[in-house]
Structures are given as C-alpha cells and as structure tokens.
Amino acid sequence: WVKQRAEELSSKKGESCEYVWVIVFESQGKRYYNIDFAYSSCNNCNLYDEHGNHVSSSVFTNNTETKIVDDRPACTSPK
C-alpha cells in the first residue's frame, strides 16, 4: 500500500516518484508512514498508520519516544 500511495501522489502532481519520499516513524510501538514530496512545506500532512489509514500528526503529541526508522525515495520503497 505504501508504494501505491506514493504512485498516486506522484501521478496526481505529474512528478517522478524520485521526488516523493517515505519517512517511517515508530511511536508507542506502532509504525507511521509520511508519504509526501521532498520539497513539501507541510509537516506530516500525508501521514498513515500501519494499515494505510490516514491519521493526524497528533498521534505524535506528547510522545518523546517518536523516532525515524527509515527515510527513502518512494521509488525504492517496498510494496
């Protein structure tokens, strides 16, 4: 689902998937995926949970345990 979301985003904007980045966060024992353009000024606007459901960045509120576990161009992301 990650690769599909990245492809949808890149095709919607007419951009190469090389410009779409996937940042994987771990917070409170769960994984979250931010899928957005590398040049986007919006912080975590396209944030999804482990199942591909869109969530708000408020999932990170008051959590000092949030960390980035992966950061790569969408073209190299697993399906």
Side-chain angles (χ1 to χ4, degrees), residues 35-50:
I35 304 169
D36 210 345
F37 290 105
Y39 55 78
S40 176
S41 61
C42 187
N43 191 17
N44 297 325
C45 289
N46 291 307
L47 189 63
Y48 299 90
D49 67 11
E50 300 167 313

Side-chain angles (χ1 to χ4, degrees), residues 15-21 38 73-75:
E15 292 277 9
S16 167
C17 65
E18 294 173 357
Y19 296 109
V20 178
W21 278 74
C75 294

Side-chain angles (χ1 to χ4, degrees), residues 1-71:
W1 69 262
V2 173
K3 191 148 182 101
Q4 180 182 350
R5 286 271 177 5
E7 288 170 355
E8 289 169 359
L9 183 62
S10 62
S11 66
K12 186 186 321 179
K13 300 284 186 177
E15 292 277 9
S16 167
C17 65
E18 294 173 357
Y19 296 109
V20 178
W21 278 74
V22 178
I23 302 173
V24 183
F25 295 94
E26 196 169 87
S27 180
Q28 299 175 343
K30 296 180 181 177
R31 288 212 168 179
Y32 296 93
Y33 300 80
N34 184 46
I35 304 169
D36 210 345
F37 290 105
Y39 55 78
S40 176
S41 61
C42 187
N43 191 17
N44 297 325
C45 289
N46 291 307
L47 189 63
Y48 299 90
D49 67 11
E50 300 167 313
H51 308 289
N53 301 310
H54 193 266
V55 296
S56 165
S57 60
S58 65
V59 296
F60 299 146
T61 304
N62 299 325
N63 183 9
T64 58
E65 306 266 329
T66 300
K67 63 181 179 178
I68 295 175
V69 294
D70 198 358
D71 184 4

